[in-house]
Amino acid sequence: MPDVTGPTSGGEALVAALVAHGVDTVFGIPGTHNLEIYRHLLAHGVRHVGTRHEQGAGYAADGYARTTGRVGVALVTTGPALLNAVAAIGQAYSDSVPVLVVSPGLPLRHPAAGNGLLHETKDQQGAMRAVAAASLRPTSVEDIPVAVAQAFAIMTHGRPRPVHLEVPLDVLLETTDGPATGPAGACHRLAPTAPAGVVTEAAAWLDDAAFPVILAGGGANRAAAELRAVAERLGAPVVTTTNGKGVLPEDHPLALGAGIHLPVVRDLVTEADVVLAVGTELAPADLWNGPLPLAGRLVRIDIDPVAMVTNALPDLGLVGDSARVLADLLVALGGEPARRDPIDLLGWRERKRADAEREGATWLPLVRALSAALPRDVVLGTDNAMFCYYGMLANLPVHEPSSYLFPTGYGTLGYGLPAAIGAKVGNPDRPVVAVLGDGGLMFTVAELATAAELGLTLPVVVVDNRGYGEIRHEMTGRGDPVHAVTFEAPDFAALGRSLGCLGTTVDDPVDLTAAVRVGLLADRPTVIHVRHHERAAPAGGGEHA
């Protein structure tokens, strides 16, 4: 660690403050205006992972954050570079991911009407406020550690959200005579819980229920052990949203898996007399087919009091950290299992399986071939591709929380590859596989070069259905002219090889298993181009492409 007892520039104060909050890795691209930050990264022991596009840096920071539980940091320069990252920050906001995007800003005394400075943007902070939880702008070197502490407070307390930190160009270059002062040390997540009386009442409702059901979202990922204990105590089946997939191992007897949008889940919650929803917005992007027909009592656990009363009003709301509230709920329930007639779990599992296979029929051979190759602790970086949400979501088992990385809500394309890179950087000993469609991969295909340069063992499965298949089906369903959605993909295997990866092409689903297994042993990324021809249109699933 360098000696910072002498004059400290704004750039060094920024890097030192990030390190004080536990940051040791950043994803980004250097540029003219952020060089004073880059100058100090190596001296402070911060690893820089260079991406080929700022959107890729944002997605990589997202994947890193989801899988490590730490803040992911994207470091970009001004104007167009920062705006390139906007889609990724919007996605992190939608999925409640703590990503800090750091950029320079225009000088403090920059003319209000502008003067043509390089990368000049009229309202850079305004653009970021539209997609992030906040945009902070320190105005002195001494203020930088304060702003960093404020950013971490926003990201690590309450509902995780991304934050933008903008340091003016002249402040980056200014120096202070001694070390910059301000809050030091990482913010530790508080674990607030609901009032004891409310927890006791919720426990009584659940214990007395004849048919309790648990719905778990992304907000339950850091409460996997507590969720499992409550489910086992109640004997309650668990269904998850996309972001909650894997929070309960999907081969657990109580796990019905992901796919909260399926018709069987609507029947399930209609029959339930108490539904416990943990860390889920119950959002249209999860449900696809309108709100759930909740017939019994709804108990919600959520860190966000606004989310608590959005989409479905609870009969009982427990605002607090999911792990803490579930732990308190378990204590209130006591150790004796509930006395009730056994729930027909096997019947519900079979109905769920039938619904999932019906929806994903076109993709089942590929899903089964991929599943056969995956280790139990795999992380999947997926994209808004038909194979991922019709095929894999409800049919491919996942057994660890925060292991199915998918861009829900905001619904960006190109997420899967850079998110998988970020996950692998943050979890070098875990197997990671990226799965994308041919249309989505082209949004961030340059990040194949990033993965190759890093020497990552990373199978990249590209399921090629010749364009934007979902939109093609929607055009057909509307009776519209079908155009602008079908195109021939490049030879992705050859493209991967040209960027330093291995590459192979799969025409028969049975060959995908071996290709992924080989890719999981390779010394570099492996692009696996799966040429798939759709046989039937599945049921509609929203604005996916």
Side-chain angles (χ1 to χ4, degrees), residues 198-214:
V198 182
V199 172
T200 300
E201 186 175 5
W205 287 9
L206 289 162
D207 209 25
D208 292 342
F211 189 0
V213 169
I214 298 175

Side-chain angles (χ1 to χ4, degrees), residues 499-510:
L499 293 171
C501 306
L502 302 174
T504 188
T505 301
V506 170
D507 288 302
D508 189 326
V510 73

Side-chain angles (χ1 to χ4, degrees), residues 12 24 28 342 436 477 491 536:
E12 185 169 19
D24 59 17
L436 303 91
D491 182 340

Side-chain angles (χ1 to χ4, degrees), residues 2-42:
D3 179 11
V4 292
T5 57
T8 304
S9 73
E12 185 169 19
L14 172 60
V15 174
L18 292 174
V19 170
H21 286 269
V23 174
D24 59 17
T25 302
V26 299
F27 301 86
I29 300 177
T32 298
H33 289 163
N34 65 11
L35 291 181
E36 182 58 28
I37 305 171
Y38 271 82
R39 177 183 178 185
H40 300 285
L41 292 177
L42 295 179

Side-chain angles (χ1 to χ4, degrees), residues 68-154:
T68 64
R70 304 170 64 188
V71 170
V73 180
L75 174 56
V76 301
T77 194
T78 41
L82 180 62
L83 295 184
N84 280 343
V86 163
I89 301 309
Q91 188 62 63
Y93 186 91
S94 179
D95 284 347
S96 303
V97 183
V99 172
L100 176 64
V101 58
V102 178
S103 77
L106 295 176
L108 293 175
R109 296 186 181 278
H110 190 72
N115 63 0
L117 182 69
L118 178 68
H119 300 332
E120 182 179 80
T121 302
K122 288 193 298 182
D123 188 1
Q124 185 171 273
Q125 281 195 282
M128 297 310 298
R129 288 192 189 102
V131 293
S135 177
L136 307 178
R137 179 177 162 97
T139 56
S140 68
V141 176
E142 291 78 8
D143 193 33
I144 289 173
V146 177
V148 171
Q150 291 169 342
F152 272 78
I154 293 169

